[in-house]
């Protein structure tokens, strides 16, 4: 999406300047690109009368590949290699689609164990989640080691040894600190530690991955990765064992497709980041497509679920037996309710009026 210089002046356009100053392919320009292109995908799927995942699943491989920019990643994945992956994915595709429609895509919950929750709240939320059939849980860590040990022991005792536990540090630690801290939490058998250090530190993630491998702990990251190039390098450096795409951080469906295909080549499971701000609604389409047409595997794979703010969307996610059920409505599930938009519109919406009035007082 590169513009030419201003006509008649030879000076760079404002777009080119913006690309250099706050890009390229990262920051606000990239996020804006993702928003616009995700909207285009939503319209395309609605035009075809299909949910987005089905639009992608039914698409001819060559047509799908025409949506991907392979620039900067051909040293890892060429278009022909991607075509071979999609061709192999044709085998058993109908059976996997039927499996998704019947059982859905496995999810994990992040809603039980945020930092700052009291022990009583943790117990209550874990008890409710277990009753609802959840078997995969993520706990936030990194503020205080002794508190983490206590909270992780509480949760592990509640969910039992057979259920899956993950940990998320949200970029808290330096590299040596991450290794030392997680060595102390290894007794609770976490499947992964998520974002242990700066999301830009590829070699740091590689060092942590190497150090924690003997403890059976993988490294997961990706929700803050700017673009496909960062993911390429994380894969090349063996810096992650679980890859976490985000439907809005990357440059829309197009760029996520390239990352799904790279992950398949490296045989790294994709476990998407999601949240209760519409990210669950979006990313379910990508991961369902990944299973049906690309990875063909559910081993060590799950999609994050946060039970928050879904009431603002016209087509909220449907969770049954701790799994995402494939959306059936046409589009990308992005459409928000008119009343929610009106209420939160700046500066005249009801929510903003209250906030601004409170600030004046």
């Amino acid at each position: 999406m590169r513009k030419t210089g201003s006509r008649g002046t030879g000076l760079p356009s404002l777009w080119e300047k913006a690309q250099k100053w706050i890009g390229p392919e990262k920051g606000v320009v990239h996020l804006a690109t993702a928003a616009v292109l995700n909207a285009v995908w939503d319209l395309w799927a609605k035009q075809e009368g299909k949910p987005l995942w089905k639009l992608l699943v039914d698409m001819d491989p060559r047509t799908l590949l025409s949506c991907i920019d392979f620039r900067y990643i051909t040293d890892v994945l060429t278009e022909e290699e991607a075509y071979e992956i999609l061709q192999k994915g044709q085998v058993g595709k109908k059976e996997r689609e039927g499996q998704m429609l019947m059982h859905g895509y496995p999810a994990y919950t992040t809603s039980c164990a945020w930092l700052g929750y009291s022990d009583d709240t943790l117990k209550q939320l874990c008890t409710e989640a277990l009753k609802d059939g959840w078997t995969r849980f993520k706990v936030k860590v990194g503020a205080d080691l002794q508190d983490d040990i206590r909270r992780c022991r509480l949760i592990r005792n509640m969910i039992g040894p057979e259920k899956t536990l993950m940990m998320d540090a949200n970029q808290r630690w330096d590299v040596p600190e991450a290794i030392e801290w997680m060595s102390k939490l290894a007794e609770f058998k976490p499947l992964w530690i998520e974002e242990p250090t700066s999301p830009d530190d590829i070699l740091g993630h590689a060092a942590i991955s190497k150090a924690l491998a003997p403890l059976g702990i993988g490294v997961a990251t990706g929700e803050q990765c700017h673009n496909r190039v960062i993911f390429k390098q994380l894969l090349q450096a063996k810096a992650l064992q679980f890859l976490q795409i985000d439907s809005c951080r990357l440059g829309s469906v197009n760029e996520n497709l390239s990352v799904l295909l790279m992950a398949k080549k490296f045989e790294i499971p994709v476990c998407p980041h999601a949240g209760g701000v519409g990210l669950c609604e979006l990313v379910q389409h990508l991961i369902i497509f990944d299973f049906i047409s690309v990875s063909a595997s559910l081993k060590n794979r799950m999609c994050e679920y946060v039970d928050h703010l879904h009431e603002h969307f016209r087509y909220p996610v449907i969770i049954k037996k701790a799994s995402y059920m494939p959306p059936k409505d046409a589009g990308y599930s992005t459409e928000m309710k008119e009343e929610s938009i009106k209420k939160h519109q700046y500066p005249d919406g009801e929510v903003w009026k209250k906030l601004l009035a409170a600030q004046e007082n």
Side-chain angles (χ1 to χ4, degrees):
M1 297 183 66
R2 188 175 294 278
K3 303 278 187 177
T4 57
S6 301
R7 185 176 295 177
T9 65
L11 297 174
S13 67
L14 288 175
W15 176 268
E16 286 179 315
K17 289 183 178 179
Q19 283 283 73
K20 292 175 182 176
W21 291 338
I22 47 180
E25 298 194 32
K26 64 176 73 71
V28 68
V29 170
H30 210 50
L31 293 173
T33 299
V36 172
L37 291 178
N38 278 336
V40 172
W41 280 97
D42 180 53
L43 290 170
W44 185 359
K46 286 177 178 175
Q47 182 69 28
E48 296 294 327
K50 298 177 180 180
L52 180 84
W53 68 266
K54 182 64 171 168
L55 175 72
L56 294 172
V57 165
D58 291 348
M59 200 176 292
D60 173 77
R62 287 294 183 194
T63 303
L64 190 143
L65 291 177
S66 72
C67 300
I68 297 174
D69 184 356
F70 285 89
R71 182 176 46 171
Y72 306 140
I73 63 171
T74 55
D75 53 325
V76 158
L77 182 74
T78 65
E79 185 170 344
E80 282 308 307
E81 287 175 316
Y83 179 73
E84 289 177 14
I85 290 171
L86 291 173
Q87 282 295 93
K88 288 179 181 177
Q90 298 293 312
V91 179
K93 192 167 78 169
K94 287 191 179 298
E95 290 77 10
R96 290 191 296 276
E97 183 174 336
Q99 182 181 341
M100 285 289 100
L101 291 169
M102 179 78 69
H103 302 291
Y105 197 94
Y108 72 86
T109 177
T110 303
S111 299
C112 296
W114 297 97
L115 283 174
Y117 279 180
S118 67
D119 286 2
D120 286 342
T121 300
L122 289 177
K123 290 176 184 177
Q124 178 190 341
L125 293 174
C126 276
T127 299
E128 292 172 357
L130 288 165
K131 285 181 180 178
D132 289 338
W134 290 94
T135 60
R136 304 171 184 88
F137 299 79
K138 190 166 79 179
V139 55
K140 300 285 185 173
V141 297
D144 179 88
L145 178 57
Q146 293 308 312
D147 188 54
D148 284 348
I149 291 172
R150 180 182 55 77
R151 291 165 64 252
C152 289
R153 180 170 288 121
L154 186 156
I155 293 168
R156 177 52 86 186
N157 288 340
M158 286 198 70
I159 68 175
E162 75 285 355
K163 292 183 173 61
T164 305
L165 182 67
M166 292 81 68
M167 298 179 185
D168 185 356
N170 287 114
Q171 313 162 28
R172 283 265 184 170
W173 303 315
D174 284 351
V175 172
E177 186 181 18
I179 295 168
E180 182 180 0
W181 202 297
M182 286 309 300
S183 297
K184 302 287 178 55
L185 297 180
E187 64 174 289
F188 305 110
K189 305 296 182 184
L191 178 65
W192 76 55
I193 176 61
E194 183 174 331
E195 287 198 318
T197 191
S198 165
D200 296 337
D201 190 355
I202 294 162
L203 297 182
H205 277 87
I208 295 168
S209 293
K210 185 176 181 180
L212 296 184
L215 300 175
I217 303 172
V219 167
T221 194
E223 69 178 88
Q224 302 290 346
C225 283
H226 306 298
N227 51 51
R228 64 198 179 283
V229 180
I230 301 295
F231 275 116
K232 179 189 77 169
Q233 293 186 23
L234 285 164
L235 290 165
Q236 286 174 310
K238 300 180 180 178
L240 79 176
Q241 287 70 52
F242 301 91
L243 188 150
Q244 297 175 309
I245 58 169
D246 182 283
S247 50
C248 296
R249 177 71 60 178
L250 294 181
S252 85
V253 176
N254 305 68
E255 192 167 34
N256 270 298
L257 292 173
S258 69
V259 176
L260 292 175
L261 288 161
M262 284 193 290
K264 171 60 179 175
K265 181 176 177 179
F266 282 83
E267 293 297 341
I268 293 294
V270 177
C271 300
H273 168 251
V277 288
L279 295 177
C280 296
E281 279 72 16
L282 287 158
V283 83
Q284 61 180 333
H285 292 270
L286 300 178
I287 199 61
I288 290 168
F289 160 75
D290 178 65
F291 171 68
I292 296 172
S293 296
V294 182
S295 71
S297 173
L298 292 178
K299 183 179 180 182
N300 278 338
R301 296 165 190 268
M302 64 199 92
C303 188
E304 184 173 23
Y305 175 70
V306 177
D307 189 11
H308 189 51
L309 299 174
H310 301 287
E311 66 274 13
H312 296 294
F313 289 83
R314 288 193 62 190
Y315 310 107
V317 294
I318 298 173
I319 299 288
K320 289 184 180 178
K321 296 182 180 179
S323 295
Y324 280 90
M325 301 309 295
K328 295 182 179 178
D329 294 293
Y332 199 4
S333 306
T334 55
E335 196 171 338
M336 297 187 76
K337 295 177 180 177
E338 284 294 330
E339 57 266 32
S340 292
I341 295 172
K342 186 176 180 180
K343 190 175 179 180
H344 292 84
Q345 194 164 10
Y346 179 83
D348 298 321
E350 178 186 329
V351 171
W352 281 103
K353 280 184 176 179
K354 287 181 179 178
L355 287 171
L356 295 171
Q359 285 181 353
E360 289 175 2
N361 295 332

